[in-house]
PDB file of all heavy atoms in Angstrom:
ATOM      1  N   ALA A  16      35.605  36.682  75.806  1.00 65.00           N
ATOM      2  CA  ALA A  16      35.651  35.268  76.052  1.00 65.00           C
ATOM      3  C   ALA A  16      35.968  35.007  77.536  1.00 65.00           C
ATOM      4  O   ALA A  16      36.573  35.856  78.237  1.00 65.00           O
ATOM      5  CB  ALA A  16      36.584  34.559  75.131  1.00 65.00           C
ATOM      6  N   LEU A  21      43.042  26.617  74.320  1.00 87.00           N
ATOM      7  CA  LEU A  21      43.904  25.504  74.527  1.00 87.00           C
ATOM      8  C   LEU A  21      45.440  25.857  74.476  1.00 87.00           C
ATOM      9  O   LEU A  21      45.779  26.570  73.540  1.00 87.00           O
ATOM     10  CB  LEU A  21      43.627  24.385  73.499  1.00 87.00           C
ATOM     11  CG  LEU A  21      43.906  22.965  73.826  1.00 87.00           C
ATOM     12  CD1 LEU A  21      42.927  22.553  74.937  1.00 87.00           C
ATOM     13  CD2 LEU A  21      43.682  22.072  72.548  1.00 87.00           C
ATOM     14  N   THR A  28      48.492  33.553  79.320  1.00 97.00           N
ATOM     15  CA  THR A  28      49.762  33.749  78.643  1.00 97.00           C
ATOM     16  C   THR A  28      50.083  32.375  77.926  1.00 97.00           C
ATOM     17  O   THR A  28      49.715  31.330  78.312  1.00 97.00           O
ATOM     18  CB  THR A  28      50.907  34.128  79.618  1.00 97.00           C
ATOM     19  OG1 THR A  28      50.964  33.138  80.663  1.00 97.00           O
ATOM     20  CG2 THR A  28      50.589  35.504  80.293  1.00 97.00           C
ATOM     21  N   MET A  43      59.723  40.773  58.107  1.00 97.00           N
ATOM     22  CA  MET A  43      58.463  41.629  58.195  1.00 97.00           C
ATOM     23  C   MET A  43      58.745  42.641  59.335  1.00 97.00           C
ATOM     24  O   MET A  43      58.471  43.809  59.100  1.00 97.00           O
ATOM     25  CB  MET A  43      57.263  40.760  58.480  1.00 97.00           C
ATOM     26  CG  MET A  43      55.941  41.600  58.418  1.00 97.00           C
ATOM     27  SD  MET A  43      55.517  41.946  56.767  1.00 97.00           S
ATOM     28  CE  MET A  43      55.276  43.653  56.826  1.00 97.00           C
ATOM     29  N   ALA A  53      62.553  55.384  60.719  1.00 96.00           N
ATOM     30  CA  ALA A  53      62.914  56.564  59.836  1.00 96.00           C
ATOM     31  C   ALA A  53      61.898  57.716  59.870  1.00 96.00           C
ATOM     32  O   ALA A  53      62.243  58.853  59.840  1.00 96.00           O
ATOM     33  CB  ALA A  53      63.056  56.047  58.337  1.00 96.00           C
ATOM     34  N   MET A  72      66.188  47.841  70.884  1.00 96.00           N
ATOM     35  CA  MET A  72      65.175  47.349  69.934  1.00 96.00           C
ATOM     36  C   MET A  72      65.527  47.433  68.527  1.00 96.00           C
ATOM     37  O   MET A  72      64.889  46.870  67.671  1.00 96.00           O
ATOM     38  CB  MET A  72      63.791  47.935  70.180  1.00 96.00           C
ATOM     39  CG  MET A  72      63.177  47.323  71.421  1.00 96.00           C
ATOM     40  SD  MET A  72      61.576  47.990  71.865  1.00 96.00           S
ATOM     41  CE  MET A  72      60.596  47.494  70.450  1.00 96.00           C
ATOM     42  N   ALA A  85      64.082  41.309  80.297  1.00 98.00           N
ATOM     43  CA  ALA A  85      65.190  41.559  81.246  1.00 98.00           C
ATOM     44  C   ALA A  85      65.655  42.992  81.239  1.00 98.00           C
ATOM     45  O   ALA A  85      65.893  43.578  82.309  1.00 98.00           O
ATOM     46  CB  ALA A  85      66.364  40.659  80.787  1.00 98.00           C
ATOM     47  N   ALA A  89      64.919  45.816  84.295  1.00 98.00           N
ATOM     48  CA  ALA A  89      65.985  46.586  84.876  1.00 98.00           C
ATOM     49  C   ALA A  89      65.563  48.115  84.908  1.00 98.00           C
ATOM     50  O   ALA A  89      65.969  48.941  85.726  1.00 98.00           O
ATOM     51  CB  ALA A  89      67.297  46.399  84.051  1.00 98.00           C
ATOM     52  N   ASP A 109      44.533  42.882  85.258  1.00 97.00           N
ATOM     53  CA  ASP A 109      45.409  42.283  86.254  1.00 97.00           C
ATOM     54  C   ASP A 109      46.837  42.174  85.794  1.00 97.00           C
ATOM     55  O   ASP A 109      47.794  42.475  86.591  1.00 97.00           O
ATOM     56  CB  ASP A 109      44.884  40.875  86.534  1.00 97.00           C
ATOM     57  CG  ASP A 109      45.651  40.187  87.749  1.00 97.00           C
ATOM     58  OD1 ASP A 109      45.420  40.797  88.846  1.00 97.00           O
ATOM     59  OD2 ASP A 109      46.320  39.264  87.623  1.00 97.00           O
ATOM     60  N   ARG A 115      52.864  43.768  83.924  1.00 98.00           N
ATOM     61  CA  ARG A 115      53.137  42.832  82.836  1.00 98.00           C
ATOM     62  C   ARG A 115      52.342  43.321  81.534  1.00 98.00           C
ATOM     63  O   ARG A 115      51.114  43.475  81.659  1.00 98.00           O
ATOM     64  CB  ARG A 115      52.559  41.339  83.131  1.00 98.00           C
ATOM     65  CG  ARG A 115      53.426  40.714  84.225  1.00 98.00           C
ATOM     66  CD  ARG A 115      52.893  39.280  84.409  1.00 98.00           C
ATOM     67  NE  ARG A 115      51.552  39.157  84.823  1.00 98.00           N
ATOM     68  CZ  ARG A 115      51.151  39.085  86.034  1.00 98.00           C
ATOM     69  NH1 ARG A 115      52.031  39.001  87.133  1.00 98.00           N
ATOM     70  NH2 ARG A 115      49.871  38.972  86.313  1.00 98.00           N
ATOM     71  N   ASP A 129      49.886  47.729  56.025  1.00 84.00           N
ATOM     72  CA  ASP A 129      49.335  49.002  56.549  1.00 84.00           C
ATOM     73  C   ASP A 129      48.074  48.942  57.364  1.00 84.00           C
ATOM     74  O   ASP A 129      47.697  49.857  57.949  1.00 84.00           O
ATOM     75  CB  ASP A 129      49.127  49.935  55.372  1.00 84.00           C
ATOM     76  CG  ASP A 129      50.429  50.397  54.755  1.00 84.00           C
ATOM     77  OD1 ASP A 129      51.269  50.871  55.677  1.00 84.00           O
ATOM     78  OD2 ASP A 129      50.682  50.307  53.566  1.00 84.00           O
ATOM     79  N   ALA A 148      59.620  51.723  79.295  1.00 98.00           N
ATOM     80  CA  ALA A 148      60.983  51.890  79.872  1.00 98.00           C
ATOM     81  C   ALA A 148      61.079  53.262  80.612  1.00 98.00           C
ATOM     82  O   ALA A 148      62.123  53.559  81.190  1.00 98.00           O
ATOM     83  CB  ALA A 148      62.040  51.781  78.799  1.00 98.00           C
ATOM     84  N   ALA A 153      55.320  54.181  82.797  1.00 98.00           N
ATOM     85  CA  ALA A 153      55.212  52.800  83.401  1.00 98.00           C
ATOM     86  C   ALA A 153      54.261  52.800  84.595  1.00 98.00           C
ATOM     87  O   ALA A 153      53.385  51.899  84.728  1.00 98.00           O
ATOM     88  CB  ALA A 153      56.556  52.275  83.832  1.00 98.00           C
ATOM     89  N   TYR A 155      51.842  55.046  85.076  1.00 98.00           N
ATOM     90  CA  TYR A 155      50.526  55.344  84.531  1.00 98.00           C
ATOM     91  C   TYR A 155      49.837  54.007  84.074  1.00 98.00           C
ATOM     92  O   TYR A 155      48.607  53.740  84.394  1.00 98.00           O
ATOM     93  CB  TYR A 155      50.581  56.352  83.361  1.00 98.00           C
ATOM     94  CG  TYR A 155      49.309  56.437  82.661  1.00 98.00           C
ATOM     95  CD1 TYR A 155      48.094  56.966  83.267  1.00 98.00           C
ATOM     96  CD2 TYR A 155      49.094  56.043  81.316  1.00 98.00           C
ATOM     97  CE1 TYR A 155      46.856  57.080  82.581  1.00 98.00           C
ATOM     98  CE2 TYR A 155      47.942  56.134  80.706  1.00 98.00           C
ATOM     99  CZ  TYR A 155      46.875  56.636  81.356  1.00 98.00           C
ATOM    100  OH  TYR A 155      45.581  56.719  80.666  1.00 98.00           O
ATOM    101  N   ALA A 158      48.715  52.151  87.049  1.00 97.00           N
ATOM    102  CA  ALA A 158      47.486  52.788  87.615  1.00 97.00           C
ATOM    103  C   ALA A 158      46.299  52.531  86.822  1.00 97.00           C
ATOM    104  O   ALA A 158      45.149  52.353  87.380  1.00 97.00           O
ATOM    105  CB  ALA A 158      47.726  54.309  87.716  1.00 97.00           C
ATOM    106  N   ILE A 188      51.187  64.622  72.867  1.00 98.00           N
ATOM    107  CA  ILE A 188      51.727  65.269  74.034  1.00 98.00           C
ATOM    108  C   ILE A 188      52.288  66.630  73.511  1.00 98.00           C
ATOM    109  O   ILE A 188      52.786  66.740  72.412  1.00 98.00           O
ATOM    110  CB  ILE A 188      52.771  64.453  74.752  1.00 98.00           C
ATOM    111  CG1 ILE A 188      53.215  65.041  76.027  1.00 98.00           C
ATOM    112  CG2 ILE A 188      53.953  64.070  73.752  1.00 98.00           C
ATOM    113  CD1 ILE A 188      54.077  64.115  76.890  1.00 98.00           C
ATOM    114  N   GLY A 198      51.042  57.858  71.392  1.00 98.00           N
ATOM    115  CA  GLY A 198      50.153  56.715  71.390  1.00 98.00           C
ATOM    116  C   GLY A 198      50.657  55.589  70.440  1.00 98.00           C
ATOM    117  O   GLY A 198      51.082  55.820  69.366  1.00 98.00           O
ATOM    118  N   GLY A 200      49.041  53.261  68.905  1.00 96.00           N
ATOM    119  CA  GLY A 200      48.296  52.987  67.701  1.00 96.00           C
ATOM    120  C   GLY A 200      48.780  53.918  66.575  1.00 96.00           C
ATOM    121  O   GLY A 200      48.698  53.601  65.375  1.00 96.00           O
ATOM    122  N   SER A 203      52.920  53.026  65.727  1.00 97.00           N
ATOM    123  CA  SER A 203      53.149  51.754  64.921  1.00 97.00           C
ATOM    124  C   SER A 203      52.506  51.845  63.564  1.00 97.00           C
ATOM    125  O   SER A 203      52.554  50.861  62.882  1.00 97.00           O
ATOM    126  CB  SER A 203      52.634  50.600  65.753  1.00 97.00           C
ATOM    127  OG  SER A 203      51.167  50.696  66.006  1.00 97.00           O
ATOM    128  N   PHE A 210      49.397  61.447  59.578  1.00 97.00           N
ATOM    129  CA  PHE A 210      47.953  62.063  59.693  1.00 97.00           C
ATOM    130  C   PHE A 210      47.790  62.766  60.991  1.00 97.00           C
ATOM    131  O   PHE A 210      47.290  63.878  61.065  1.00 97.00           O
ATOM    132  CB  PHE A 210      46.948  60.972  59.490  1.00 97.00           C
ATOM    133  CG  PHE A 210      45.525  61.408  59.588  1.00 97.00           C
ATOM    134  CD1 PHE A 210      44.953  61.868  58.397  1.00 97.00           C
ATOM    135  CD2 PHE A 210      44.862  61.346  60.757  1.00 97.00           C
ATOM    136  CE1 PHE A 210      43.585  62.307  58.438  1.00 97.00           C
ATOM    137  CE2 PHE A 210      43.527  61.788  60.742  1.00 97.00           C
ATOM    138  CZ  PHE A 210      42.909  62.245  59.670  1.00 97.00           C
ATOM    139  N   ASP A 213      50.087  65.997  61.006  1.00 97.00           N
ATOM    140  CA  ASP A 213      50.138  66.965  59.923  1.00 97.00           C
ATOM    141  C   ASP A 213      48.814  67.255  59.206  1.00 97.00           C
ATOM    142  O   ASP A 213      48.652  68.319  58.601  1.00 97.00           O
ATOM    143  CB  ASP A 213      51.043  66.431  58.787  1.00 97.00           C
ATOM    144  CG  ASP A 213      52.523  66.169  59.284  1.00 97.00           C
ATOM    145  OD1 ASP A 213      52.798  66.704  60.385  1.00 97.00           O
ATOM    146  OD2 ASP A 213      53.229  65.414  58.618  1.00 97.00           O
ATOM    147  N   GLN A 238      41.733  58.563  63.547  1.00 96.00           N
ATOM    148  CA  GLN A 238      40.856  59.290  64.485  1.00 96.00           C
ATOM    149  C   GLN A 238      40.352  60.649  64.010  1.00 96.00           C
ATOM    150  O   GLN A 238      41.121  61.237  63.240  1.00 96.00           O
ATOM    151  CB  GLN A 238      41.580  59.470  65.863  1.00 96.00           C
ATOM    152  CG  GLN A 238      42.037  58.202  66.463  1.00 96.00           C
ATOM    153  CD  GLN A 238      40.895  57.206  66.731  1.00 96.00           C
ATOM    154  OE1 GLN A 238      39.979  57.532  67.389  1.00 96.00           O
ATOM    155  NE2 GLN A 238      40.996  56.019  66.053  1.00 96.00           N
ATOM    156  N   TYR A 241      42.169  63.981  68.368  1.00 98.00           N
ATOM    157  CA  TYR A 241      43.302  63.528  69.130  1.00 98.00           C
ATOM    158  C   TYR A 241      43.320  64.431  70.439  1.00 98.00           C
ATOM    159  O   TYR A 241      43.021  65.623  70.302  1.00 98.00           O
ATOM    160  CB  TYR A 241      44.581  63.671  68.424  1.00 98.00           C
ATOM    161  CG  TYR A 241      44.672  62.750  67.137  1.00 98.00           C
ATOM    162  CD1 TYR A 241      44.250  63.222  65.887  1.00 98.00           C
ATOM    163  CD2 TYR A 241      45.043  61.378  67.238  1.00 98.00           C
ATOM    164  CE1 TYR A 241      44.305  62.404  64.779  1.00 98.00           C
ATOM    165  CE2 TYR A 241      45.124  60.589  66.212  1.00 98.00           C
ATOM    166  CZ  TYR A 241      44.722  61.044  64.953  1.00 98.00           C
ATOM    167  OH  TYR A 241      44.683  60.261  63.841  1.00 98.00           O
ATOM    168  N   ASP A 245      49.611  67.527  78.650  1.00 98.00           N
ATOM    169  CA  ASP A 245      50.781  68.460  78.880  1.00 98.00           C
ATOM    170  C   ASP A 245      52.043  67.670  79.159  1.00 98.00           C
ATOM    171  O   ASP A 245      53.121  68.066  78.847  1.00 98.00           O
ATOM    172  CB  ASP A 245      50.480  69.374  80.085  1.00 98.00           C
ATOM    173  CG  ASP A 245      49.398  70.371  79.729  1.00 98.00           C
ATOM    174  OD1 ASP A 245      49.297  70.767  78.506  1.00 98.00           O
ATOM    175  OD2 ASP A 245      48.666  70.761  80.658  1.00 98.00           O
ATOM    176  N   LEU A 251      49.499  60.901  84.733  1.00 98.00           N
ATOM    177  CA  LEU A 251      49.622  60.003  85.839  1.00 98.00           C
ATOM    178  C   LEU A 251      48.872  60.698  87.008  1.00 98.00           C
ATOM    179  O   LEU A 251      48.046  60.017  87.753  1.00 98.00           O
ATOM    180  CB  LEU A 251      51.053  59.741  86.219  1.00 98.00           C
ATOM    181  CG  LEU A 251      51.313  58.849  87.512  1.00 98.00           C
ATOM    182  CD1 LEU A 251      50.634  57.559  87.355  1.00 98.00           C
ATOM    183  CD2 LEU A 251      52.755  58.783  87.863  1.00 98.00           C
ATOM    184  N   THR A 254      45.139  60.693  86.672  1.00 96.00           N
ATOM    185  CA  THR A 254      44.626  59.315  86.903  1.00 96.00           C
ATOM    186  C   THR A 254      44.591  58.945  88.335  1.00 96.00           C
ATOM    187  O   THR A 254      43.638  58.367  88.879  1.00 96.00           O
ATOM    188  CB  THR A 254      45.371  58.321  86.110  1.00 96.00           C
ATOM    189  OG1 THR A 254      45.371  58.780  84.690  1.00 96.00           O
ATOM    190  CG2 THR A 254      44.826  56.903  86.071  1.00 96.00           C
ATOM    191  N   THR A 274      32.718  61.381  67.850  1.00 96.00           N
ATOM    192  CA  THR A 274      34.107  61.369  67.639  1.00 96.00           C
ATOM    193  C   THR A 274      34.688  62.678  67.163  1.00 96.00           C
ATOM    194  O   THR A 274      35.903  62.918  67.342  1.00 96.00           O
ATOM    195  CB  THR A 274      34.577  60.309  66.634  1.00 96.00           C
ATOM    196  OG1 THR A 274      33.818  60.589  65.410  1.00 96.00           O
ATOM    197  CG2 THR A 274      34.159  58.937  67.070  1.00 96.00           C
ATOM    198  N   GLU A 280      34.178  74.372  76.235  1.00 97.00           N
ATOM    199  CA  GLU A 280      35.216  74.428  77.236  1.00 97.00           C
ATOM    200  C   GLU A 280      36.456  73.637  76.764  1.00 97.00           C
ATOM    201  O   GLU A 280      37.461  73.565  77.514  1.00 97.00           O
ATOM    202  CB  GLU A 280      34.716  73.723  78.594  1.00 97.00           C
ATOM    203  CG  GLU A 280      34.232  72.317  78.407  1.00 97.00           C
ATOM    204  CD  GLU A 280      32.711  72.169  78.265  1.00 97.00           C
ATOM    205  OE1 GLU A 280      32.105  73.115  77.506  1.00 97.00           O
ATOM    206  OE2 GLU A 280      32.117  71.270  78.703  1.00 97.00           O
ATOM    207  N   HIS A 285      43.994  72.691  67.593  1.00 98.00           N
ATOM    208  CA  HIS A 285      43.712  72.762  66.136  1.00 98.00           C
ATOM    209  C   HIS A 285      42.299  72.303  65.917  1.00 98.00           C
ATOM    210  O   HIS A 285      41.913  71.318  66.284  1.00 98.00           O
ATOM    211  CB  HIS A 285      44.701  71.898  65.353  1.00 98.00           C
ATOM    212  CG  HIS A 285      44.314  71.694  63.895  1.00 98.00           C
ATOM    213  ND1 HIS A 285      44.529  72.659  62.911  1.00 98.00           N
ATOM    214  CD2 HIS A 285      43.647  70.687  63.253  1.00 98.00           C
ATOM    215  CE1 HIS A 285      44.113  72.273  61.759  1.00 98.00           C
ATOM    216  NE2 HIS A 285      43.442  71.102  61.968  1.00 98.00           N
TER     217      HIS A 285
END
Side-chain angles (χ1 to χ4, degrees):
L21 206 64
T28 58
M43 185 75 234
M72 283 178 64
D109 189 64
R115 292 186 298 266
D129 289 309
Y155 169 65
I188 186 167
S203 62
F210 180 87
D213 300 344
Q238 300 304 301
Y241 297 93
D245 287 332
L251 175 62
T254 305
T274 55
E280 60 265 35
H285 168 80

